[in-house]
Amino acid sequence: MRETSARLLRLLSLLQARREWSGAELAERLRVTSRTVRRDVERLRTLGYPVHSTTGTAGGYRLGAGAELPPLLLDDDEAVAVAVGLRTAAHNTVRGMEESSVRALAKLEQVLPHRLRRRVGALTAFTDPLGGRRGPVVEVETVTELVNACRDRLLLRFAYRDRDGSCSRRIVEPYRLVCSSHRWYLVGWAADRADWRTFRVDRLALTPPHGPRFTPREPPAEDWAAYVSEGISTGAYPERATVLLHAPADRVAERIAPSAGVLEPVDESTCLLRTGAPSLDEMALHVLTLGFDFEVREPAGLGERIEKLADRLGRAARAWRADGEGWGRE
């Protein structure tokens, strides 16, 4: 009996590791006959695992999706990844995942071998979420509802609160959800605006029922994440600029979040930054504090603001030097 149970677990592990297996391949891996493989497959089916089979030369076995979630077999790295992911989910910006994540984590850690429990413990003991970057919390049911509407191509109706606090009723064809490090965004075609729009999920309130179904349109960009990044970092502001930075794009990316600007590599030592701000003065300060040499490509007004700032800073520096050893020094 123990040998049969061990073989069933091994068979289940193989079926979960690859989409499809032939009977001969499974028999070879398990070192049994094809007849034994067929019997073991029937045992898995009685335990609730939906194992599908096809006949013929191209036939084989495939583990499908059933009405209920059966037990899963994970290797060491997969188990550690799931455990760490569940711990991280407890600090997520989706309300409703914390409690379920903790319950799932408790079940997983109960059966983790000691060596894996130590790995998970070390990873979580010496890493901490940066609470200051936690964004507005959204309901997990809202995220699920939006994802289903995107998948099923169902028209959405919701109330939306703009940045200035004003509310409006929106009718939108939903296409994609994009998650930044601390916010969720919905990209869709706004029927009432006849244009593509990006909505912050924490600012919308869904008003079901949803529908009817809509015919998908040509997307506004190939990369949805890049589209949202450009929209929230540049398109949402009245002042926009393009600046050539004298630094590699990967180095600049360490200092600029996707919500603060869009980077485009030029060569190994320079890149373009496209960004936005409420005013050119704030734009100038933003670029100056990045810490890289730069050239303003557009607009011309940004260069003029930087000239004025440079004059002001120069006067302050000259006054500091003229004071002898500097202000505030004894």
Side-chain angles (χ1 to χ4, degrees):
M1 178 64 70
R2 177 178 298 181
E3 180 180 350
T4 301
S5 299
R7 192 175 64 247
L8 285 178
L9 290 174
R10 174 62 176 157
L11 173 59
L12 180 59
S13 178
L14 290 172
L15 291 172
Q16 290 178 346
R18 208 170 80 186
R19 180 171 177 80
E20 193 160 348
W21 294 84
S22 68
E25 288 175 323
L26 291 174
E28 181 181 356
R29 289 293 189 96
L30 298 172
R31 298 181 180 179
V32 296
T33 64
S34 297
R35 183 178 180 181
T36 300
V37 169
R38 289 194 295 271
R39 286 201 303 264
D40 287 348
V41 166
E42 286 302 322
R43 291 189 179 100
L44 288 179
R45 288 169 176 163
T46 60
L47 293 174
Y49 292 95
V51 183
H52 304 303
S53 60
T54 55
T55 58
T57 56
Y61 296 97
R62 177 171 57 87
L63 186 63
E68 298 181 355
L69 178 68
L72 302 176
L73 293 180
L74 305 174
D75 62 27
D76 287 5
D77 290 339
E78 291 169 343
V80 170
V82 171
V84 173
L86 289 171
R87 286 184 179 271
T88 303
H91 302 281
N92 209 307
T93 55
V94 180
R95 182 185 289 118
M97 291 186 65
E98 296 94 336
E99 183 180 350
S100 57
S101 298
V102 171
R103 291 199 308 269
L105 181 61
K107 294 178 181 179
L108 180 60
E109 289 190 334
Q110 184 177 359
V111 297
L112 281 179
H114 180 67
R115 67 181 188 281
L116 298 185
R117 195 177 295 116
R118 283 177 54 86
R119 285 175 59 184
V120 174
L123 283 169
T124 55
F126 295 98
T127 58
D128 292 288
L130 187 58
R133 290 188 60 83
R134 183 183 175 107
V137 176
V138 299
E139 303 292 342
V140 66
E141 292 83 5
T142 300
V143 174
T144 303
E145 201 169 344
L146 290 174
V147 169
N148 290 339
C150 292
R151 179 198 62 198
D152 299 335
R153 305 300 188 195
L154 294 175
L155 201 67
L156 287 176
R157 295 170 183 81
F158 55 82
Y160 191 70
R161 177 173 48 85
D162 293 327
R163 182 184 303 176
D164 58 3
S166 61
C167 294
S168 60
R169 307 292 300 181
R170 313 305 293 267
I171 301 176
V172 174
E173 299 174 2
Y175 282 81
R176 191 63 58 96
L177 275 183
V178 176
C179 181
S180 72
S181 57
H182 56 294
R183 284 194 178 95
W184 288 81
Y185 299 91
L186 170 69
V187 184
W189 174 266
D192 50 345
R193 303 293 195 274
D195 197 5
W196 292 96
R197 289 289 191 271
T198 300
F199 304 93
R200 270 181 45 177
V201 174
D202 60 285
R203 292 179 178 170
L204 62 83
L206 294 170
T207 55
H210 307 310
R213 294 182 182 273
F214 61 87
T215 302
R217 302 173 186 269
E218 187 72 21
E222 293 184 2
D223 189 332
W224 291 98
Y227 176 80
V228 171
S229 176
E230 182 174 2
I232 63 179
S233 66
T234 307
Y237 295 99
E239 301 293 346
R240 306 171 191 179
T242 301
V243 177
L244 178 69
L245 299 175
H246 291 268
D250 56 352
R251 184 181 171 195
V252 178
E254 297 174 358
R255 302 192 182 187
I256 298 181
S259 58
V262 177
L263 294 173
E264 178 185 335
V266 175
D267 51 39
E268 294 182 355
S269 58
T270 60
C271 64
L272 286 175
L273 167 66
R274 293 183 176 85
T275 186
S279 68
L280 288 178
D281 288 332
E282 292 186 45
M283 180 91 69
L285 290 173
H286 171 56
V287 176
L288 284 170
T289 55
L290 291 177
F292 304 110
D293 291 339
F294 64 91
E295 303 171 23
V296 176
R297 292 295 175 86
E298 58 179 4
L302 177 59
E304 296 170 0
R305 289 294 203 287
I306 292 174
E307 279 186 332
K308 292 180 179 179
L309 284 174
D311 290 340
R312 191 176 304 156
L313 291 171
R315 289 194 299 270
R318 288 191 293 273
W320 182 83
R321 287 195 298 268
D323 194 48
E325 295 183 356
W327 303 316
R329 296 186 180 182
E330 300 295 338

